[in-house]
Structures are given as structure tokens and as C-alpha cells.
Amino acid sequence: MASPVGEDNWVDYVDHQLREATDLEARVRVIESFNDAVSAEPGSIKVWMAYCEYFWSLYNDCQPVSDAGWSPEEQEVGRSIFTIDAALNLWQRGYEAVQYRLSDSNELWDRWISLEMELLRRTVTEAGVRRITQLFRNRLTVPHATWDRTSQMFSTFLSEYNRQAYESEMEQITRSAKNAKRLYALRDPFETKLSLAVKSGDTAAVRAEMLEYIDWEIKQHKGKRDALDNFKICLGLFSRALTGVLASDDTTWLNFITLVSTSQSDLKAGRARVSANLVPNMLDVLRRAVHHIPWAGPVWARYILAAEEAALTFADVERIKHAATNSPQLDRDGMTGVLDMYSAWCGYLKRTAMNPKASEEAVDVAEVGLSSALEDVKHWGQRKYGENYQGDPDYRLEKILIQFLTEKKEDIEGARAIWDELSQIPLHANSYDFWLNWYLWEMVVFTAHRAKLRSPTPNTQAQGLLVPSLATRVFTRALKVRTLDWPERILQVYLKHCNDYELAETLREAHDTIYKTRKGVEKRREREARQAAEAARQAAAAREQAAPADRSEDVPMTDASGSASPGSKRKREPTPAEDDAANKRPRSETNGDDVKRDREHNTVFLRNLPADATQTKIKQFFRDYGHVNNIDLKKGDDDAVALVEFRHSDDARAALIRDGKPFGDRIIQVTPAIDCTLFVTNYPPDADEEYLRNLFKAHGEIHSIRFPSLKENVKRRFCYLTFRERASAEAALKLDGKALGGRCRLVVKISDPAHKQHRQGAQEEERELHVINIPRTMKEDEVEGHFTKAGKVVSVRIPHLGTAFVVMQTKEEAQEAIKLLDKAMFGQHPIKVEPSMPKGTKKKTATAWGGAEDAESPASTAAESTVSSGGGGGAARDRKVVILGVPDTMNEARVGNLLKPAGEFVKLTLHARHGGAIVEYKDAASAGKAQLVIDGLEVEAGQKLRVGTTEELFQSKGEKKVAGSDPCARPEPEKQRKKPPTAAQLMPPPPSINRPQVLGRSKPKMGMGTGAPGLGVRTNGVALVGPKKSNADFRSLFLGGGNNGGGGEGGGKVEEEKTKENGSKE
Amino acid sequence: MLFFSFFKTLIDHEVTVELKNDIRIRGVLKSVDQYLNIKLDNIQVVDELKYPHLSAVKNVFIRGSVVRYVHLPSQSVDIDLLEDATRREAANQAVKAK
């Protein structure tokens, strides 16, 4: 008997039956059918309603007062079967099954409770009142749509039967139902939308709403809060969906199955938040599922799996499989469903046979079953698709059979025959993946075989070197296939294999084959690239026509092996000369290196790297593709992206071949990084990385920002900003010319060394003259008057007495001036006039003036004041703080910003070459405070500022930033010894003793009271040999010192032990 | 460097320096250098009767190595600042020790 599917069909089916039921026996059969129906559709309110109503009517009918026309005997028997208890029980069961259907569970409930109340009305008993009160209580703690009505009913009920308890009862109910109301309120929007959709009669809308609701509900289920209620409601929703509009929706069923199965595994793992009896039985669920959606292969597969897990007998599982194959709809959506089902079945067979305890019979059954499954699938496919059927692209069944044959039956030849057969099918033969799988299998077989051979006969030498020739044969066969989709990969593995395992002769042959094939492949690739380029050109042309403004042209980079394919090289179009922004570009002459080092074209992006990737690993990964100049690795939460720079652009192009290769456990992407980098300049001087990131982040993800070193020229103010995507870089060009706070107009260009521009200005145009030895009394206008003899003077500058820079109108006039005025007398002096040359070194220091007022400063810096006492700021020396460890990419404005927390300074001089700065403060006390703040202040991750002495500053070379290492490498101690540090002003000139510095020193810092081992200690002229103090000594030192350390603020004085310098002093 | 920086913040405050030969000198701190040599102004020896030879001296330069203690005026010590700096210094030391 084919059972109906879906609630409507069930109701119709039983309805039909009950109309014909005229005697007691038939009625009992109807009840049985109803039982079947509710087990098939346990969540269906329709079925339950029909069932309960029918049972109730039967109960009524068999009462003596009934006029249903039953014979008295039937009534007699009926009364014993259809009792009032059974009927009420049934209502209860029905209610429990559907109570979490938020929207419509009230239909059943209302009917039930009205019956109950009617019963009570007939005979009011204490117990009856209590029972109904209890029912109401339960009902009101379950969220449902008509809560208010239920509550209303309850209140009526109470006032009728139990007036004295009314107040307390209602209060209690309201409290305990708070949660239910809240849960329902959360779902109210969905319910409203759903009911609207239902009213409009639009089935598609109802489905859409329902799906959305289910998605939301599943998400709720994950939350910790109200786990139990959410789970129940979720189940209720699913039963609504699966008995209603979505009854034959694959996704919803799969959602449901996954939910149930996860909850079950949760149960097993003991981390379930719901109790075991709530989770429906997996097998039941799946049985219902395959009834509703018999075409869904995955569901069948799960069904078989669940049956296996539940340890059903073989016959039962086989019955499921037969049910599946007999279902006419299994191939409704093509062969996928069939294949899914069959692979689950074969997997089951295999596992039964592989089980070490499996009987001989099971193995036989499995073997027969596997091969017949294979046959069945083939026939099925041919029946459906005729000759065009190509088999499973993943050859899952074959894989299982091969594994079974290899491992259980040890029928290597049989398994190999299957591989062979598979390779006849062009679908597989074209896939490199297939060949590699075969190869791996052969190697496994070979290894197992060798291990077996080795144990009984240790002397394998007699048989010659064992080689996996069969594995080698796989490659030779693979390479014969002309249409292989990725021959490069096969070649790569082939070569490696031959190197590793094969005899010299075979290796040589392999080399030959590889060489020949590679040539063939290259030709083929070239052809393909041409075609691709042709297609791309056409596409581009089409796009050009569509949008002529869009000039960014995406020529796809083929990942062909380094072969230069004409279409894939990007032609750079020269951009129109920029005229206005040109002279603002602070390019330095060191850019000459940049042309040699063409970062822009030698760089590739590496994406989806594992998070633990290191520079070394990446370098190794590209070992065969050329020299890696630089790696810029940025780590994300669970992956990393690296920018890898090669020495040559050819290398970079070759490296693109590694796209899609595994790196660790990830498949990485390699993409060219051409045109991802912007040259940005003319931003505000104090702009730091964060500022620029904020400025540009709207256009895409920024990989890195590279600032130039300021060592050679502190005035440099530009940076290279690399985006992750080329499109972002192009989008960011919009910011070119943007005005940023005041005078700065941002310059943004795609970085390209070919577009380098030289500085322009009087000096570059050779119009500037350098005049030396002019009389000290001469002012600018007098010099100008003197030079007017040679031509028109544009400007005169006298930076310091005796020297002037004169800018003439033209180059010729400047030359004329040299001829005329050089070595001629000017006033009393013979002056020297020469073309002004760019300084060999650019400006190395930069000065910023801080906000702190101090008129004394310039004077006091120029002249070393010798008197320290008296008012004012004190000795300049005391007011200065020397900072070391400033990154060489930071300009003075940024350092100034960095020092803000340490208080306002008067003057800041940045010595980029030495990686430091000298900051002057208002007075010594603020300098000391600043020192305390600055020492150890973090600039960038891992890089800390430190306070030192002027000597240290000028001896240090400026730090090269090395990520991860300690950037504050200390200068060599030997060097420090050379200069005895200048002592404070009152101190007599120090005797010529070499004295290692004690504080701000280069040696590992020593704690209080310790001395350098082995050095003589002399206190007050008496030399002592101080052994290194242990912690115990140290403690006694403290305690013996009269408890003055622990006093804190006691007595108004904080006492502090002063560092003993006995060790390091002479 | 910590002590040097710290003492610098006390410049122009009155401190008492206790020397290793038990003389205690109170005066206004005028200068300190990297050896923790100290210059004091307007000095007064705490136990004047015991060291009459110092009663005429108005300012001194004290070599850092002969100092035993410096008694600080508690109201001019910025405890928070000092604590932060000390913590950083300790962290630095820990890094270097590795």
C-alpha cells in the first residue's frame, strides 16, 4: 500500500476511509490509519485535529445518550475502547506535538480546552478545576500568537471557578509567562509577514518568508540564551514549514536534518543544551524526508548513513537502498542524486566489509554489491542520457571499489583494471587530477608491496633496484593525452617522481619526454594565449565602445609557464605630462636606484597564505622562480597576504604559475601587483601612516605604506601606498589634487619609475650663482646692484656673512656673470663666483619649533652658557633631551607630534642620519619629566624611543628598520670610550682617564649595588675588589639601611637609594 | 638613565644629600648629570656642629660616587610619572636580559 505524502493527502486518505467505516472494526482501522498519519506527519496540525475530532466523536457516539445509530452491543464495546481518558489523552498528545507551532497551535488548544471546560461544567470537581488550571498554566508559558486570548480565557475561568485565588494566580502567570511573551515578540515581525503572505495567497511569497524565518530561527538556535525554548520553537517552525508550503523543499529538509543531526551529536558529546527526548529520532526524520523528497540523493545518502549508524541489519539497509532505487523520481535532477545515493550505499558496503570482524560472507556481499552498484549506475545513466552518459566526474563509486579491492581483496590487478577503464573515458583522461590520483594510488600500492617483499627476503639486491615502474607508466600514459588540462603539473610531478625513484635510464627518458612535451605544451599555451588575447581584445573593444571613458583595461594574465605570450604583457600607456604638480615633487637623486629596482613591475601578491607563513617559507616556495628581493608579509586573523618582490620582472611573471598551488594546507593565489602601488606626496608634514590609511581606506584595502628613509634628506615627504587590488589604486587616483588642511594639495599617482621627474628650479636650470668672499658689510641690495652688470637679477640670498646666492634671469646671464665678476674685486674683496651646485648631501637635520615660550633659547643654544645657577631655564645642556631610536622614515613634524605627551618643547632638531633627535625644553625640570616619559615610549610596534647622550646620538648610524628585531641596537662600547663625556659646568676638566659611561650606557644595565665583575672598586680613594652582590646581600643592604626604603611618604620624605657606581667608576 | 631623568625633574627643589661619610647636606638642586654628580646651591649641613668647616660653604658640587642617599621632597615627586617610567624601564631590562 503506497502511503500518502503530505498532510492534505493524509487527511483525504483517512477521510475517505472513515466515510466508509460503518462498523466497529472499520472504525478501529481508521484509528490505526490516523496513527500512521500522525507518525508520518507528527507536526501537522490538520492531521492531529482530524484525529482528535474523530476520536472525540467516537467517544460521544458510544455514549448511551448518543443518537448516532450504533447498536447497543457496539456501544457497549465502544465504551470500553473509546473511553473519556483515552480521548483526553489523545488531545493532550496532539497538543504536545503541535504546541510550538506559534501561529496555529491555538486551533487545537482552543478546541481541547473548550471540551475540557464543558466536561467541567457538567460536573464541577476540585480535581477538575485544578487540572484545567494546570493546563492553562502550561499553555501560558509556551509562546504562541494568541497569548492574550488564552490569558483572557484563563481569567474568565478563574473568576468563575476559583475566585479567591484569582489575584495570586494571575500575578504568578504573568510573571512566568514573561519569557514566553518575549520570545514571541522576537518572532512577531516574521509571523506578521508570513500571515500577510498567506492572506495574499501568493505561494512564492509565503515560501520566501518562511525560508527567511527559518534562517533566522536557525541562527537563534546557536545562541546560548533560551536554548531550550529556541530549540523547541525551531522544531515547531520546521514542522510548520515541512508540513506546509515547504514540504517538498530540499534545502529546508536538509536544514532540518542537519539541525537534528547536530543536536544529536551535541547530545552525544554531552554539550547539549536540550534534553535527549526532545530531539527527534534521526531515522524517523529521514524516513519522512525521503517520502517527501524522493529525488534528493543527499537525503538518501544520509538515510543510509543513519541506518548504518543505528546499527540496523544489512537487510534493513538494503531495503532502504531498494526503496531509493525503486523511487521513480530519484533521477529527477539528473544523475547527481543517483550517484549520491549509490556512493553512500557503496560506502556502507565497503565499511561493512572492511570491518575486521566482518564475515567472509559480508566481504562477498560487498564485492558483488559494489560491482552491481557500478553496473546499475551505468545502466541508469545510459537509460537516461543514452550514449552521452560519461559517468561520475568524481568517479566516487570507482574510487570506493578500487579501495575495497586494494585493501580487502588485495586484488591489485583488478583495481588497476578499473583505473585503466576509467582512463578510457575522455572526461577523466583530460583531468590532471585523475592522473595524479592514479599515480598516488600506484605509489601506495608500490610502497605496501615493497614493505611486504622486504620482510621475508632482506636481499632485494638480487632482483635489482625496486622501481615503481607502474607508477611511471601512469605518467607516460597521461602525457600521451593531448588535451590534458594542466600538463605542467603532471610534468612537474613526473620529473620529481623519476628523480626520486627511477633508474638513471628511465630518468633520462623522462627528461626527453618532458622536454618534448614541454615544447608541445608551450606551443599549445601560446596558441591558447593568442586566442585568449584575441577574445580579450574583442571584449575590450566592445567595452571601449560601450564606455569610451573607461580606459583601464584588464588584460587577463594567463598563468602559463613563463612563456611570453604576446597578449598578456601589459602595455603601459604614457600618461600625459603633469605640468602643475611637477615642481612640487620632492624627488631625490637617489631615485636613480629606483629605476634599477623596479618594484612596481617585479612584484606579485600572494593571498590566502596560512597564518603561520614566514618569510623563509615564502622564499623557499619561490626558490625555483628567481631571486626574491623583498617580502612584505601582512598577517590577518587566519590568513596572511604577502607582497613578494623579485629581482627581475621575468621572475615575477614566472612566479605567477604558482597560482592555485598548495602552500601548507592552503591553496594560495598569486596575482601580479602591477599598478597596485600609488606614489603619494604633498600631504601634511605631520601625516603619519594612520592618517594616510584613513585618507585612502575608502577606496579599498591597503596592504602597506612605505615611507622613504630620511637619512640622506630629511625633507623628503612622499610615500608609496600599496593597495590589495588594482581597482582600488585606480579609484584612489581621485584623491589627486585634493586640498588637505591649508596649503597642501595631495598628489597621488600610480607609481612608475618610468615617470620619474627631475626637480625644477633656479639651481637645476643653472641660473643660480654661488658667490664667496663678499665683504661682510654688504647687504642684499648692494650685491644685487653689483650683479646687475651681468644681467637681470631675480633674487639674492645671504645665508651667512660672506656668502651669497644670486639667481639670474637666464642661464646665459649667469654664465656672463661668472665671466665678468669671478675673481673681480667687490668692495675690498676679490670675490669668487661659481655656478651653484646641488649639495653633495641633502639636508640631514630638520628643526621644528614647539609651542613652549622661551625667548632665551636661540641664544643659549648658540653660546654655551657657563653659569648654571640663577633664574631662567638653566644650562642649555640640562634642558636638552637626546632621543635615540627614531625611525628613519619619520620627519620632524611627526616626531614632534609623538613627543606631545611629554610636554611642550621649545625646539626639536631631527638627526635622521643618526636616527635621533635633540629636543630642547623650557627648563631642566620639564626636560627631566620629558625624559621620564620618552624613555621607552613606543613609536611603532617593537620600536621604542630611548633617551641617551649627544655622544651616543652622533655615534649611532641610524637604525635600519628590521621587523621583529630589537630596533634599538646600541652603539659599540669601544667607540664610546673614545670621547670622554663632557662633565657638568662646575666640574674641572676631567683627567684623561677612559671612563665607561654609566648611565645611558651601552653595557647591559646593572641593578643597584652591583658592580662590573673584575673591576677594581675604589671608594674615597680606597680600592676594593667588589664581588658581585647576590640577592641576599642586596636584601641585607636594604634592611640594614634602616628601613628607610619602605617608609613611603612617611615623615614627609621619600627616601631613595641612589645607584652605586662603585663598579663602573675607576 | 631613569635616575638621571628623575633627578632632573627635581632641579630647583630643595633636597638633602647624604654622603657616604655621613655628612648630610641640604640645598637646592641646581644640576645633575649622567654620573649623578650633583650641584647644590644655598647649602646647609644638617648636623652643622659636627662639621664646622662646611658652615661657610654656600654651594657644592658632589661627585656622584660619594652619595649614599638623596632625600626627596615628597610633594615634588610625580609618583604616577615615576611609576610609569619605572615599569617601562623594568620591561626594557627584561627584554634585554633575554
Side-chain angles (χ1 to χ4, degrees), chain A residues 34-74:
Chain A
F34 264 122
N35 258 329
D36 288 345
V38 293
S39 73
E41 302 284 348
S44 160
I45 195 151
K46 260 192 205 165
V47 175
W48 274 108
M49 278 292 272
Y51 188 12
C52 293
E53 287 288 356
Y54 182 63
F55 204 94
W56 190 251
S57 71
L58 285 181
Y59 159 75
N60 277 337
D61 287 351
C62 62
Q63 298 308 312
V65 287
S66 142
D67 52 357
W70 290 24
S71 64
E73 304 86 70
E74 274 189 336

Side-chain angles (χ1 to χ4, degrees), chain A residues 612-622 628-635 642-644 663 963:
Chain A
D612 59 349
T614 58
Q615 302 216 343
T616 330
K617 274 195 200 159
I618 295 172
K619 225 168 191 165
Q620 280 167 355
F621 186 71
F622 284 117
V628 175
N629 265 357
N630 189 26
I631 296 172
D632 184 6
L633 186 64
K634 287 273 150 48
K635 295 199 171 166
L643 198 59
V644 181
F663 183 101

Side-chain angles (χ1 to χ4, degrees), chain A residues 313-363:
Chain A
T313 60
F314 183 79
D316 284 337
V317 182
E318 198 176 16
R319 209 167 301 128
I320 296 172
K321 177 238 168 190
H322 280 311
T325 47
N326 287 337
S327 150
Q329 284 182 304
L330 188 58
D331 57 356
R332 197 191 71 168
D333 301 331
M335 287 300 285
T336 355
V338 182
L339 282 168
D340 278 337
M341 195 282 293
Y342 266 108
S343 55
W345 165 244
C346 290
Y348 168 68
L349 284 179
K350 186 192 73 182
R351 278 190 292 277
T352 359
M354 294 289 207
N355 187 342
K357 281 178 270 171
S359 62
E360 198 64 22
E361 192 192 358
V363 179

Side-chain angles (χ1 to χ4, degrees), chain A residues 54-329:
Chain A
Y54 182 63
F55 204 94
W56 190 251
S57 71
L58 285 181
Y59 159 75
N60 277 337
D61 287 351
C62 62
Q63 298 308 312
V65 287
S66 142
D67 52 357
W70 290 24
S71 64
E73 304 86 70
E74 274 189 336
Q75 280 194 342
E76 186 72 25
V77 183
R79 268 199 296 279
S80 67
I81 304 174
F82 310 120
T83 59
I84 178 84
D85 280 346
L88 289 181
N89 242 338
L90 191 67
W91 279 107
Q92 173 109 26
R93 267 176 62 205
Y95 165 66
E96 271 163 15
V98 300
Q99 59 178 339
Y100 279 99
R101 295 176 65 124
L102 300 187
S103 62
D104 49 10
S105 58
N106 61 310
E107 290 175 21
L108 194 132
W109 156 261
D110 289 350
R111 178 81 183 116
W112 178 30
I113 205 70
S114 68
L115 290 174
E116 290 269 8
M117 302 244 272
E118 207 181 296
L119 283 182
L120 186 72
R121 208 167 298 128
R122 265 184 243 155
T123 46
V124 181
T125 61
E126 183 88 350
V129 173
R130 230 180 294 128
R131 175 181 158 83
I132 293 183
T133 314
Q134 191 55 40
L135 287 178
F136 266 113
R137 266 190 211 141
N138 285 346
R139 179 57 179 165
L140 285 169
T141 49
V142 172
H144 60 282
T146 54
W147 192 90
D148 290 331
R149 221 173 68 205
T150 317
S151 149
Q152 193 72 43
M153 275 162 70
F154 186 42
S155 107
T156 325
F157 168 79
L158 274 183
S159 50
E160 200 169 320
Y161 293 98
N162 199 359
R163 196 176 287 276
Q164 70 273 25
Y166 182 86
E167 282 297 319
S168 62
E169 193 67 41
M170 282 317 271
E171 198 188 311
Q172 196 193 337
I173 281 296
T174 322
R175 211 175 322 112
S176 57
K178 216 194 270 166
N179 199 32
K181 278 170 104 170
R182 188 180 53 78
L183 285 172
Y184 183 74
L186 280 176
R187 289 158 179 83
D188 197 36
F190 290 100
E191 291 289 350
T192 321
K193 269 193 264 174
L194 198 61
S195 63
L196 276 182
V198 171
K199 253 182 224 145
S200 74
D202 180 359
T203 330
V206 176
R207 287 171 66 103
E209 290 300 341
M210 196 57 137
L211 283 174
E212 196 185 327
Y213 191 4
I214 287 177
D215 280 350
W216 180 82
E217 193 66 69
I218 291 175
K219 257 182 236 132
Q220 290 317 103
H221 176 53
K222 284 187 194 118
K224 284 230 167 1
R225 222 175 140 206
D226 309 319
L228 189 64
D229 285 327
N230 276 334
F231 186 70
K232 284 186 202 155
I233 295 172
C234 197
L235 287 183
L237 181 64
F238 267 116
S239 62
R240 256 161 86 188
L242 295 174
T243 52
V245 279
L246 296 170
S248 50
D249 185 84
D250 302 16
T251 346
T252 314
W253 274 108
L254 278 174
N255 271 343
F256 185 43
I257 291 166
T258 319
L259 176 77
V260 171
S261 114
T262 2
S263 327
Q264 270 182 348
S265 0
D266 280 357
L267 271 182
K268 259 182 217 147
R271 58 190 143 82
R273 295 185 299 265
V274 294
S275 57
N277 51 7
L278 266 181
V279 181
N281 185 338
M282 193 70 202
L283 274 176
D284 285 345
V285 170
L286 284 162
R287 190 172 320 117
R288 280 163 52 210
V290 294
H291 272 295
H292 283 92
I293 45 168
W295 55 84
V299 177
W300 281 106
R302 268 193 176 256
Y303 194 13
I304 293 176
L305 199 63
E308 185 188 343
E309 212 176 342
L312 293 196
T313 60
F314 183 79
D316 284 337
V317 182
E318 198 176 16
R319 209 167 301 128
I320 296 172
K321 177 238 168 190
H322 280 311
T325 47
N326 287 337
S327 150
Q329 284 182 304

Side-chain angles (χ1 to χ4, degrees), chain A residues 528-588:
Chain A
E528 281 171 6
R530 253 203 310 277
Q531 282 162 1
E534 187 63 33
R537 235 194 316 277
Q538 279 165 3
R543 218 178 325 145
E544 205 94 326
Q545 279 173 343
D550 178 22
R551 69 186 181 86
S552 71
E553 172 180 350
D554 274 324
V555 183
M557 297 290 287
T558 53
D559 61 346
S561 63
S563 65
S565 43
S568 64
K569 251 195 235 164
R570 187 182 156 84
K571 294 273 183 289
R572 319 200 92 258
E573 329 156 24
T575 41
E578 311 99 357
D579 32 32
D580 53 345
N583 48 1
K584 289 181 192 157
R585 285 191 150 196
R587 286 253 172 182
S588 75

Side-chain angles (χ1 to χ4, degrees), chain A residues 868-870 877-881 924-925 927-929 931-937 944 947-949 970 981-987 995-1000 1005 1008 1019-1020 1041 1044 1049 1052-1061 1065-1066, chain B residues 1-13 16 20-21 26 30-39 41 59-61 63-75 77-79 81-82 85 88-89 91-93 95-96:
Chain A
S868 67
S869 53
R877 198 192 148 84
D878 279 346
R879 296 190 285 117
K880 272 184 191 166
V881 176
K929 276 201 185 98
Q931 252 171 290
L932 282 179
V933 175
I934 294 165
D935 202 4
L937 196 71
K944 285 183 178 160
V947 176
T949 59
R970 305 273 167 135
T982 0
Q985 270 66 38
L986 271 183
M987 198 177 170
R995 209 182 250 163
Q997 293 178 353
V998 176
L999 292 158
K1005 183 157 182 177
M1008 287 191 290
T1019 315
N1020 293 340
N1044 39 20
E1049 278 148 86
K1053 289 201 174 182
V1054 180
E1055 300 200 326
E1056 194 154 317
E1057 172 96 359
K1058 193 171 173 296
T1059 319
K1060 295 226 171 88
E1061 296 154 80
K1065 290 245 164 174
E1066 46 151 354
Chain B
M1 216 60 185
L2 182 66
F3 283 97
F4 172 43
S5 310
F6 173 60
F7 284 133
K8 253 174 119 169
T9 65
L10 297 172
I11 283 177
D12 288 336
H13 288 96
T16 308
K20 285 177 182 165
N21 58 7
R26 182 159 54 232
K30 284 330 283 186
S31 170
V32 64
D33 68 5
Q34 49 180 330
Y35 308 111
L36 306 188
N37 297 334
I38 288 172
K39 277 190 282 183
D41 225 352
N59 48 38
V60 289
F61 175 89
R63 190 185 156 102
S65 67
V66 302
V67 175
R68 182 179 289 147
Y69 294 122
V70 178
H71 301 247
L72 312 171
S74 70
Q75 71 279 4
V77 177
D78 186 342
I79 308 266
L81 183 69
L82 186 61
R88 262 202 308 268
E89 177 86 1
N92 268 352
Q93 297 295 324
V95 169
K96 248 174 275 165

Side-chain angles (χ1 to χ4, degrees), chain A residues 343-655:
Chain A
S343 55
W345 165 244
C346 290
Y348 168 68
L349 284 179
K350 186 192 73 182
R351 278 190 292 277
T352 359
M354 294 289 207
N355 187 342
K357 281 178 270 171
S359 62
E360 198 64 22
E361 192 192 358
V363 179
D364 287 345
V365 168
E367 191 183 359
V368 175
L370 283 172
S371 30
S372 71
L374 214 54
E375 282 293 299
D376 286 350
V377 171
K378 204 167 149 197
H379 282 151
W380 200 320
Q382 277 167 356
R383 199 170 62 221
K384 197 164 163 68
Y385 293 109
E387 285 306 300
N388 294 333
Y389 179 64
Q390 289 210 319
D392 181 8
D394 293 337
Y395 48 100
R396 278 171 286 183
L397 301 186
E398 285 86 348
K399 267 189 213 159
I400 295 173
L401 182 55
I402 287 168
Q403 194 198 354
F404 172 73
L405 285 178
T406 325
E407 284 176 28
K408 195 72 196 175
K409 304 286 285 182
E410 290 173 14
D411 181 8
I412 308 290
E413 284 312 314
R416 192 168 285 132
I418 294 170
W419 280 114
D420 220 45
E421 212 171 291
L422 281 175
S423 72
Q424 303 300 328
I425 303 172
L427 181 74
H428 301 315
N430 283 342
S431 147
Y432 79 96
D433 195 47
F434 166 77
W435 293 105
L436 284 185
N437 272 329
W438 189 359
Y439 162 68
L440 284 181
W441 178 82
E442 287 282 5
M443 286 313 289
V444 169
V445 168
F446 168 71
T447 328
H449 189 59
R450 191 168 56 176
K452 219 170 282 164
L453 269 186
R454 192 169 285 162
S455 47
T457 50
N459 183 14
T460 45
Q461 296 294 327
Q463 301 160 5
L465 188 62
L466 258 181
V467 288
S469 54
L470 284 166
T472 320
R473 206 171 54 100
V474 174
F475 285 117
T476 32
R477 287 190 48 183
L479 291 177
K480 281 204 188 96
V481 182
R482 291 250 161 260
T483 47
L484 199 61
D485 55 352
W486 195 8
E488 289 90 343
R489 173 80 185 144
I490 296 283
L491 287 176
Q492 205 180 354
V493 183
Y494 182 26
L495 191 62
K496 190 172 167 304
H497 165 75
C498 286
N499 269 329
D500 289 355
Y501 298 103
E502 275 296 352
L503 300 171
E505 190 190 346
T506 331
L507 182 57
R508 181 177 52 75
E509 282 167 12
H511 273 298
D512 294 349
T513 332
I514 286 170
Y515 181 72
K516 278 181 222 152
T517 323
R518 187 161 281 159
K519 267 202 334 210
V521 167
E522 264 170 33
K523 263 191 212 129
R524 186 177 131 203
R525 288 287 184 227
E526 215 165 300
R527 202 169 54 236
E528 281 171 6
R530 253 203 310 277
Q531 282 162 1
E534 187 63 33
R537 235 194 316 277
Q538 279 165 3
R543 218 178 325 145
E544 205 94 326
Q545 279 173 343
D550 178 22
R551 69 186 181 86
S552 71
E553 172 180 350
D554 274 324
V555 183
M557 297 290 287
T558 53
D559 61 346
S561 63
S563 65
S565 43
S568 64
K569 251 195 235 164
R570 187 182 156 84
K571 294 273 183 289
R572 319 200 92 258
E573 329 156 24
T575 41
E578 311 99 357
D579 32 32
D580 53 345
N583 48 1
K584 289 181 192 157
R585 285 191 150 196
R587 286 253 172 182
S588 75
E589 60 201 351
T590 49
N591 269 9
D593 297 348
D594 281 6
V595 178
K596 272 178 245 155
R597 190 175 172 183
D598 185 2
R599 282 189 220 252
E600 283 69 17
H601 295 96
N602 297 353
T603 313
V604 296
F605 262 124
L606 233 63
R607 287 168 223 260
N608 200 25
L609 286 168
D612 59 349
T614 58
Q615 302 216 343
T616 330
K617 274 195 200 159
I618 295 172
K619 225 168 191 165
Q620 280 167 355
F621 186 71
F622 284 117
R623 200 176 36 207
D624 302 335
Y625 294 85
H627 184 267
V628 175
N629 265 357
N630 189 26
I631 296 172
D632 184 6
L633 186 64
K634 287 273 150 48
K635 295 199 171 166
D637 291 335
D638 61 336
D639 65 342
V641 179
L643 198 59
V644 181
E645 187 203 342
F646 289 91
R647 189 181 279 161
H648 302 292
S649 57
D650 292 345
D651 297 345
R653 231 174 302 135

